[in-house]
């Protein structure tokens, strides 16, 4: 056997040749698997959480506290029993109970314009 063949045989037998794979780190693979499973579980459980509707005693107004002008402007397809003024944007909102979920939606006129307060605290229909 010539010396060149001996070197090639040694590389193939030792696994140090160009086709050799790096050693498998089983601990790293297990850690990665645990991280993936934990992430999937977290997102799966998060999807089961009940949606929360943010309301506070200061911003929640009973229908008796909503001006008659606002109720007169509102379109017929909205629940006027749940109307409240949102202090963040100055607009009136109502609770819409859909088939799948309950959502807070802006109160709109019959023409579809959002009902908000102007600077003078009089309700107006914003475009």
């Amino acid at each position: 056997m010539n010396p060149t063949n001996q070197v090639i045989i040694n590389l193939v037998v030792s696994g140090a040749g160009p086709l050799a794979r790096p050693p498998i780190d089983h601990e790293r693979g297990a850690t990665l698997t645990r991280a993936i499973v934990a992430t999937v579980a977290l997102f799966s459980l998060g999807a089961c959480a009940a949606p929360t509707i943010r309301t506070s005693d200061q911003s929640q107004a009973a229908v008796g506290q909503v001006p008659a002008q606002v109720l007169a402007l509102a379109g017929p397809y909205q629940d006027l029993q749940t109307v409240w003024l949102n202090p963040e944007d100055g607009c009136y909102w109502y609770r819409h109970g859909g088939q799948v979920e309950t959502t807070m939606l802006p109160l709109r006129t019959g023409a579809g314009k959002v009902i908000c307060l102007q600077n003078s605290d009089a309700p107006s229909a914003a475009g």
Side-chain angles (χ1 to χ4, degrees):
M1 188 181 302
N2 67 23
T4 307
N5 288 342
Q6 184 64 33
V7 171
I8 292 174
I9 290 172
N10 285 341
L11 286 175
V12 170
V13 171
S14 68
L19 299 177
R21 286 193 243 156
I24 298 173
D25 185 1
H26 293 286
E27 186 175 324
R28 182 173 179 239
T31 303
L32 182 61
T33 301
R34 277 189 229 115
I36 291 171
V37 168
T39 302
V40 169
L42 179 69
F43 283 117
S44 297
L45 291 175
C48 296
T52 57
I53 299 174
R54 198 182 76 199
T55 59
S56 66
D57 291 337
Q58 293 120 3
S59 64
Q60 187 75 23
V63 74
Q65 296 173 334
V66 176
Q69 288 176 302
V70 172
L71 298 177
L73 285 171
Y77 51 87
Q78 301 164 112
D79 182 7
L80 300 180
Q81 300 300 314
T82 60
V83 174
W84 64 284
L85 177 63
N86 185 351
E88 293 176 7
D89 61 3
C91 294
Y92 287 93
W93 291 70
Y94 74 99
R95 183 176 292 136
H96 172 74
Q99 293 179 350
V100 178
E101 65 183 0
T102 300
T103 309
M104 297 305 293
L105 296 175
L107 190 66
R108 296 183 180 269
T109 64
K113 296 183 178 183
V114 178
I115 301 174
C116 297
L117 291 180
Q118 291 179 334
N119 291 339
S120 65
D121 288 336
S124 69

